[in-house]
Amino acid sequence: MRRLVPLAVSALALLAPAGALRASGDFTCYPSWKLANGGYGCNDSAVLAPGNDSRVNLYYLLRDRQGATTAGLSYAPSEDDLGFGHNFLGWGGFARTFYGIRPSDDGGAADDHAGSRCISLASGGAAFAAAMQANRGVPAAERTSLAAARGVLAQTCAGTGAAPASAPAWPAVASAPGREYLAYLQAANAFYAEQWDAARAGFAGLKASRDPWLAETAAYMLPRTELNAAQARSFDDYGGFDGPDKVDKAALERARAGFADYLKRYARGRYAASAQGLTRRVLWLGGDMAGLSREYERLLGARAIADAGLLELIQEVDNKLLATPARNRVDGPLLLATADLMMMRQSDDGEADPSRPVISAAQLAAQAPRFAGRADLFGFVQANHAFYVAKDMRRVLQLIPDAAKQPAFTPLQFSRQVLRGQALAALKDPNEAGFWRDMLGGAKALYQRPVIELALALNYERNGKLAEVFAAGSPIGESPIREILLSHVAGPDLLRSAAKRTDRPQHERDVALFTLLQKQLKYGDYAGFLADSALVRADAAKEGGMANFPAEATVALGLFRSGTWSDGYPCAPLARSVAALARNPRDTRALLCLGDFYRINGFDYYWSEEPPKPDELGGTPTRFPGRATPRAAFYDAVIADPAAGANEKAYALYRAVSCYAPAGASDCGGAEVPKSQRQAWFQRLKRDYPASEWAKKLRYYW
C-alpha cells in the first residue's frame, strides 16, 4: 500500500492514519456459491455488483474504460484464498493475478513507521548521503560525521531521543555546504519531533540553497511541515479523524500554497507524486469532499491500467471517499456508479442494510445528467437497483437487451449480460440455460467463464439435469463447481462414474470417491461400500480435508483403506466391520466400531455441517437414496438391544454420554437428548456395569 520516496511520504500513507477505515474486503471468509451478490461479504467476482468489494468494482470500471484485456495474464496461485476457485477473488488474489504483487493490506511487509511522519526515515537516509556525495563542497570528514549524525532522527522516530534541534549531539561542521546539511538534519529532526516552528524556520532557510537537493527537499518539506501542524490536533488517541473543525485552517492553507508552489517549480520533481497526494490530503482535511472527488476522478482517468500504483490510488479512494458518508458527494460517472452500487447493498436475508441508507429509484433517475454519454453504465446501475432493491426482474430485461452472443466482453458488457441472465433465472425463463450457453463464446477474460459455468450448473441442478454437468463434453469444467455438486447432491451412480473418469483431475475424482464411500456408510449401503472401496488407490492420503473442502486441500481418501480403527475399544479394520454390518446391520460390535471410525477420523463433521442454502450451488436435496444414520443412533441401538453383550452395552453408554463432553451439546449427530437422559445413562453405566473400564473412566455427565 505504501511506496517510499526520499524524505517524503506516499500520499496514501498520510491519507490513511493509524486506525483509519479499512477498505472493504479485509477479513477472512468464504464465498457463497451463487450469482446474486447483493450483500457485502466474500463474493467478489468479475461481475460488477453491490456486494462486490468497492475497490474491485472501481478497478473493473477502469479496465472497462481503458479497453484493457487479460491476454497474457494467468490466474495467480490461490495462496490463502482457499475455496475461491476461479469464480471469486479477494483483494489480495486480485492484485496477485493482475499485477503479480501482494497489496500491503493483504499481508505484505509494512514499514516500521507506516502511517506516520517517520515513514520517510529509511528512504531519506540514502537520498541524504547521495546528495552530500554529489556536493563537492562538503569535505569527506564532514560527510562521514553528518551521515552518522542522521542517527539522531532514528532515535527521535523510535521515541528514544526526541532531542530539540539544538541538541549537543550534532557534530561540529565548518564548511558552508556542510552547515546547510547540518541545518537540514536539525530541521528534519524538529519535524519528526513535532517541533513545527523550528522545522518551519529550518526548511524556509534552505529553500534558497545553491545545493539543488537541499533547495528542492526544503521546498517540499516546508508545506509537509505545515500539513502535519494543521492536523496535529485533529485525530483522537485511536487514530480517528475528529473532523475539519479540529484542523488548523491557517496552517492548512499554508500547506496548500506550499505544495502548489513546489509543483509549479518542480513539476517533475522527486517529490511531485507525493506532493500531489498530499494536496489531496489538504482537500480531505479541509472537508472539501467535492473537490477531492473531482481530483480522484481526474487521477483515475489519467492513470494507465498497467500501472500497479493504481491499486494504491484505488485503496486511497476507498478509504477516504467511498467508505465514508462522503461518497454522497461524488460527481463523475466512474465514482458515482461505484458509490451507487454500494448504496444498494442488502443483508443476507435480502433486506436493506441498516448501517447505510439505500438509494432510491428517484435518486438514481436524478443522476441521469451526470451519466451523460454513458447510457450503458447508467442503465446498468438502474438495472442493479431493479434487481437487488425493487426485485423487478422484467425491468432488468427492459434495461439490458440480450447481447449474449459476442466474441468478447468488456467488464461492463459482461456484468450487464450476467445481470440479465440472473433476471431470467429469477423468472424461471425456459431459455435461461440457452442464454448462458450463448455467453460462453465471449467469456474469455480471466474470471469470466467460471461465472457462466456456475450459472449453468445452478440451472442444471435446479432443473433436474445434474448429469449434464458431468456429461462428456460438458461446458462446465471448473473443478470447484463440480466438486460442490459431487459432495452435496450427486447420487451413487454419478459419484461412481466421476470417480472412475480418467479425463478429470485426480482431486475431483478423489472427492467423488470419498463422497461415495462416506455416504454409503452414512446411508447404510454397506455392500456398496465393500464393492467400491476397491477403487481407493494404495497411495491415497490418510490426512487432509474431507470431500467438500476447497479444491486445494488434500482429500483423506486413504482413511477408508488404512485409517485408525480404534483408540481403546478393540475393533477390526474398517472393511471387516462393514462386512459384518452387510451381513447383519444390527451387529453391535460392528456398529460401535463404525462409530469409533467416525469419531476418530472426524466424520462427525458431516452431521454438524450446514448444507448450502437453497439459492447456492449444491442447495438442492441429495440424490443419495436412503436415510442417514448418525453415530448417536449406533449407541441408541446397542443400548436398546437386549442381545448386546455387557461390554458392548457399557461402551455404548460411555460413548452416548461422552457425545456431550464437554459443552453439553452433542457432537455425534442426531437429536439432542435432555440432561436427565444423560444422567440416566451415566447412572445405568455405574449401576449395571461397575467393573467395566468404561464405568471407571467416566466421571461426569454433561
Side-chain angles (χ1 to χ4, degrees):
M1 181 163 63
R2 297 169 176 86
R3 184 188 312 135
L4 300 178
V5 290
L7 270 181
V9 61
S10 73
L12 179 57
L14 282 181
L15 278 166
L21 285 169
R22 300 178 70 189
S24 14
D26 289 347
F27 49 88
T28 300
C29 56
Y30 295 98
S32 299
W33 285 75
K34 60 183 181 180
L35 292 183
N37 186 16
Y40 179 46
C42 299
N43 276 45
D44 302 329
S45 77
V47 182
L48 295 157
N52 260 13
D53 186 325
S54 49
R55 297 171 296 181
V56 172
N57 280 341
L58 180 53
Y59 181 75
Y60 268 125
L61 285 173
L62 286 168
R63 290 190 69 87
D64 185 88
R65 187 162 71 178
Q66 296 190 25
T69 72
T70 61
L73 298 176
S74 58
Y75 295 111
S78 59
E79 294 192 18
D80 53 348
D81 292 337
L82 300 179
F84 281 35
H86 296 149
N87 283 78
F88 305 102
L89 58 157
W91 182 244
F94 181 86
R96 293 192 297 273
T97 290
F98 286 102
Y99 294 103
I101 61 173
R102 290 184 67 97
S104 58
D105 71 326
D106 188 53
D111 186 273
D112 288 342
H113 302 291
S116 75
R117 294 178 306 284
C118 292
I119 192 173
S120 57
L121 176 68
S123 60
F128 180 78
M132 282 197 301
Q133 187 68 31
N135 190 325
R136 297 187 178 183
V138 183
E142 290 185 359
R143 284 200 298 268
T144 300
S145 61
L146 286 167
R150 196 176 181 278
V152 172
L153 277 61
Q155 294 175 12
T156 300
C157 282
T160 58
S166 59
W170 302 117
V173 177
S175 69
R179 286 196 298 273
E180 283 192 326
Y181 274 94
L182 176 59
Y184 174 80
L185 284 181
Q186 292 170 334
N189 191 59
F191 170 79
Y192 290 133
E194 302 183 36
Q195 298 168 357
W196 312 124
D197 289 341
R200 282 190 191 99
F203 292 129
L206 292 169
K207 284 182 65 176
S209 172
R210 296 178 62 184
D211 183 296
W213 184 86
L214 283 173
E216 181 182 352
T217 303
Y220 164 74
M221 289 299 295
L222 183 56
R224 188 177 164 196
T225 299
E226 297 290 4
L227 179 63
N228 278 269
Q231 68 180 19
R233 300 181 184 277
S234 62
F235 292 92
D236 61 28
D237 292 341
Y238 300 98
F241 182 48
D242 287 335
D245 291 344
K246 296 294 183 69
V247 174
D248 182 333
K249 299 297 194 301
L252 191 66
E253 174 56 27
R254 291 194 296 269
R256 185 203 62 74
F259 287 126
D261 177 67
Y262 172 85
L263 290 169
K264 181 178 179 180
R265 295 171 58 190
Y266 304 99
R268 298 185 178 181
R270 68 190 75 215
Y271 312 114
S274 181
Q276 290 167 350
L278 295 177
T279 299
R280 298 194 297 276
R281 186 168 181 84
V282 169
L283 293 171
W284 178 72
L285 287 169
D288 185 2
M289 305 311 291
L292 184 62
S293 173
R294 289 192 295 272
E295 179 64 6
Y296 281 144
E297 191 88 24
R298 183 190 69 79
L299 287 171
L300 290 168
R303 189 70 64 92
I305 202 71
D307 182 357
L310 181 62
L311 296 183
E312 291 186 8
L313 180 58
I314 289 173
Q315 179 71 71
E316 180 188 321
V317 172
D318 195 70
N319 280 344
K320 293 303 169 191
L321 193 66
L322 297 177
T324 74
R327 62 181 168 273
N328 295 318
R329 305 292 300 277
V330 300
D331 193 47
L334 192 73
L335 290 174
L336 190 58
T338 307
D340 285 345
L341 289 174
M342 291 180 70
M343 295 181 68
M344 298 176 198
R345 285 177 177 167
Q346 311 283 296
S347 61
D348 289 340
D349 58 5
E351 299 299 323
D353 185 338
S355 67
R356 67 182 81 242
V358 174
I359 193 168
S360 69
Q363 288 173 313
L364 276 182
Q367 294 177 0
R370 289 186 277 174
F371 281 97
R374 292 304 313 270
D376 56 343
L377 182 57
F378 185 49
F380 174 69
V381 172
Q382 289 181 302
N384 271 273
H385 191 277
F387 185 92
Y388 288 105
V389 181
K391 317 296 184 189
D392 185 349
M393 305 306 159
R394 299 199 181 280
R395 174 65 172 156
V396 176
L397 301 183
Q398 293 171 355
L399 288 164
I400 303 178
D402 188 341
K405 292 182 178 180
Q406 296 190 44
F409 294 99
T410 69
L412 180 57
Q413 290 171 343
F414 182 74
S415 300
R416 283 170 57 88
Q417 292 305 301
V418 171
L419 188 60
R420 179 181 175 84
Q422 290 176 243
L424 292 174
L427 293 168
K428 301 187 185 309
D429 189 291
N431 189 46
E432 180 206 345
F435 176 84
W436 296 125
R437 286 193 295 267
D438 285 345
M439 284 195 70
L440 283 170
K444 298 173 182 177
L446 292 183
Y447 297 106
Q448 286 187 355
R449 184 181 176 99
V451 171
I452 307 306
E453 291 189 18
L454 175 59
L456 262 179
L458 285 162
N459 177 273
Y460 289 154
E461 179 190 359
R462 278 148 183 76
N463 287 281
K465 300 178 180 180
L466 188 63
E468 293 193 26
V469 175
F470 301 94
S474 168
I476 301 171
E478 287 289 308
S479 277
I481 294 173
R482 297 164 67 101
E483 290 176 8
I484 289 172
L485 292 173
L486 290 170
S487 298
H488 291 288
V489 301
D493 292 341
L494 185 52
L495 289 168
R496 189 176 297 110
S497 173
K500 293 179 178 179
R501 292 181 66 159
T502 58
D503 61 335
R504 296 299 303 169
Q506 186 66 57
H507 188 278
E508 183 180 316
R509 296 160 60 192
D510 286 350
V511 166
L513 183 55
F514 186 102
T515 303
L516 174 64
L517 297 176
Q518 177 266 138
K519 287 191 174 180
Q520 285 170 329
L521 294 178
K522 180 177 178 180
Y523 287 81
D525 181 11
Y526 301 124
F529 174 89
L530 293 172
D532 291 324
S533 59
L535 298 174
V536 178
R537 308 188 316 277
D539 62 346
K542 293 189 292 184
E543 297 181 358
M546 301 303 186
N548 56 349
F549 272 39
E552 293 83 355
T554 301
V555 179
L557 186 58
L559 289 176
F560 296 111
R561 177 184 288 271
S562 54
T564 302
W565 328 118
S566 172
D567 63 353
Y569 185 79
C571 287
L574 177 64
R576 288 174 55 186
S577 294
V578 176
L581 289 169
R583 294 189 297 270
N584 175 18
R586 295 172 59 86
D587 186 300
T588 54
R589 179 177 288 273
L591 284 174
L592 293 172
C593 287
L594 180 56
D596 273 2
F597 176 76
Y598 286 166
R599 176 180 57 81
I600 294 168
N601 295 293
F603 282 77
D604 290 318
Y605 168 80
Y606 286 95
W607 281 275
S608 62
E609 68 164 334
E610 291 186 9
K613 295 178 180 179
D615 63 339
E616 296 175 1
L617 187 70
T620 58
T622 180
R623 276 64 162 176
F624 216 91
R627 184 176 180 179
T629 305
R631 178 160 66 96
F634 298 161
Y635 306 137
D636 293 341
V638 175
I639 292 170
D641 190 345
N647 195 48
E648 284 70 31
K649 290 268 193 183
Y651 190 59
L653 288 164
Y654 169 76
R655 280 291 164 208
V657 175
S658 298
C659 285
Y660 292 84
S666 176
D667 61 2
C668 301
E672 299 273 338
V673 301
K675 190 172 184 179
S676 59
Q677 179 62 71
R678 281 123 60 187
Q679 181 182 16
W681 285 335
F682 178 86
Q683 291 172 340
R684 182 178 175 187
L685 175 61
K686 296 292 187 178
R687 181 187 67 244
D688 295 350
Y689 310 102
S692 72
E693 63 176 299
W694 315 115
K696 294 175 182 178
K697 287 181 66 174
L698 192 63
R699 300 179 60 190
Y700 310 101
Y701 59 86
W702 293 269

